[in-house]
């Protein structure tokens, strides 16, 4: 445990709403359902039990503190440049969580940031992301943990279904190319 206590992990949430360690509070985003923050809570508990501090990136030390500070962003790219030159910071992974049709600027930033991060993960492949990024992105496949392992029985057992639609978010695309995005159609 002594060696691990010299390592800390800092996660940059996709949005400021999850700073101040709210990302690890599985009850914080209760409105989103299905314990959406449970994987982060589990990660923090798992690593903390092994002597590795886990915090959101707003707690990244202002100056080197003798630890190896691992930094991962979940799509917010506001902090990585200032950390890139620090000897105590390891820009470990960039994981853009938003869809490129909703947030194309995120993928343009990934194209630049990939040169400073050790790895970039994506739910898509480089070729599919190129129109949004403005060039190739070297990316590894992302496998995202789910916080539930069963269906909602009260919904699943209903038989009075006609047509079913699932809306995961009320988002409007910023990048519209006919035939390449379905957010507009969802809203229609």
């Amino acid at each position: 445990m002594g060696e691990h206590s010299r390592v800390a992990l800092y996660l940059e949430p996709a949005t400021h709403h999850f700073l101040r360690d709210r990302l690890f509070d599985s009850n914080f985003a209760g409105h989103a359902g299905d314990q959406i923050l449970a994987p982060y809570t589990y990660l923090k508990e798992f690593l903390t039990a092994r002597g590795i501090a886990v915090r959101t990136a707003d707690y990244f030390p202002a100056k080197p503190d003798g630890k190896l500070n691992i930094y991962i962003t979940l799509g917010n790219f506001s902090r990585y440049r200032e950390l890139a030159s620090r000897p105590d910071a390891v820009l470990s992974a960039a994981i853009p969580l938003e869809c490129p049709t909703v947030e194309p600027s995120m993928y343009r930033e990934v194209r630049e940031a990939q040169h400073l991060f050790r790895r970039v993960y994506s739910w898509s492949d480089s070729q599919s992301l190129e129109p949004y990024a403005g060039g190739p992105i070297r990316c590894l496949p992302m496998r995202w943990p789910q916080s539930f392992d069963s269906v909602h029985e009260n919904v699943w057992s209903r038989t009075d279904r006609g047509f079913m639609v699932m809306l995961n978010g009320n988002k409007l695309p910023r990048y519209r190319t006919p035939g390449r995005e379905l957010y507009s159609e969802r809203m229609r």
Side-chain angles (χ1 to χ4, degrees):
M1 189 151 129
E3 181 179 324
H4 292 301
S5 63
R6 297 188 339 216
V7 175
L9 172 64
Y10 294 90
L11 290 174
E12 186 79 67
T15 166
H16 68 90
H17 300 94
F18 297 102
L19 291 172
R20 297 180 53 206
D21 284 344
R22 289 186 192 113
L23 183 66
F24 311 112
D25 179 355
S26 59
N27 296 314
F28 178 69
H31 64 282
D34 289 325
Q35 293 288 308
I36 197 165
L37 298 179
Y40 301 107
T41 303
Y42 177 80
L43 175 70
K44 181 178 175 77
E45 289 170 357
F46 181 86
L47 293 176
T48 300
R50 287 153 181 79
I52 299 171
V54 178
R55 307 290 309 264
T56 50
D58 51 314
Y59 290 109
F60 203 100
K63 58 185 182 183
D65 61 355
K67 291 185 178 182
L68 181 62
N69 296 308
I70 310 298
Y71 176 80
I72 296 173
T73 182
L74 302 176
N76 180 338
F77 290 96
S78 62
R79 200 181 315 259
Y80 80 96
R81 282 189 174 94
E82 72 185 62
L83 298 177
S85 61
R86 291 196 31 186
D88 65 323
V90 174
L91 302 185
S92 182
I95 309 169
L97 296 180
E98 191 58 78
C99 175
T101 59
V102 172
E103 200 57 62
S105 63
M106 184 182 296
Y107 288 85
R108 288 190 297 275
E109 189 65 38
V110 168
R111 194 179 101 232
E112 299 301 319
Q114 70 181 329
H115 304 294
L116 297 174
F117 281 90
R118 291 189 175 185
R119 51 194 78 75
V120 174
Y121 291 94
S122 177
W123 48 266
S124 189
D125 61 90
S126 181
Q127 185 178 1
S128 299
L129 295 173
E130 280 186 38
Y132 308 98
I137 296 175
R138 60 167 173 76
C139 51
L140 300 165
M142 177 173 64
R143 306 293 184 259
W144 204 249
Q146 297 301 309
S147 57
F148 54 90
D149 60 3
S150 63
V151 299
H152 294 281
E153 194 56 47
N154 61 331
V155 176
W156 189 253
S157 64
R158 290 182 58 182
T159 58
D160 61 337
R161 299 182 202 160
F163 180 73
M164 187 183 305
V165 174
M166 181 175 84
L167 294 177
N168 286 331
N170 185 8
K171 301 176 183 182
L172 291 175
R174 294 183 183 162
Y175 185 94
R176 291 188 178 154
T177 301
R180 296 200 63 191
E181 59 88 12
L182 293 175
Y183 284 101
S184 298
E185 185 63 20
R186 258 191 214 176
M187 294 308 290
R188 187 183 71 75

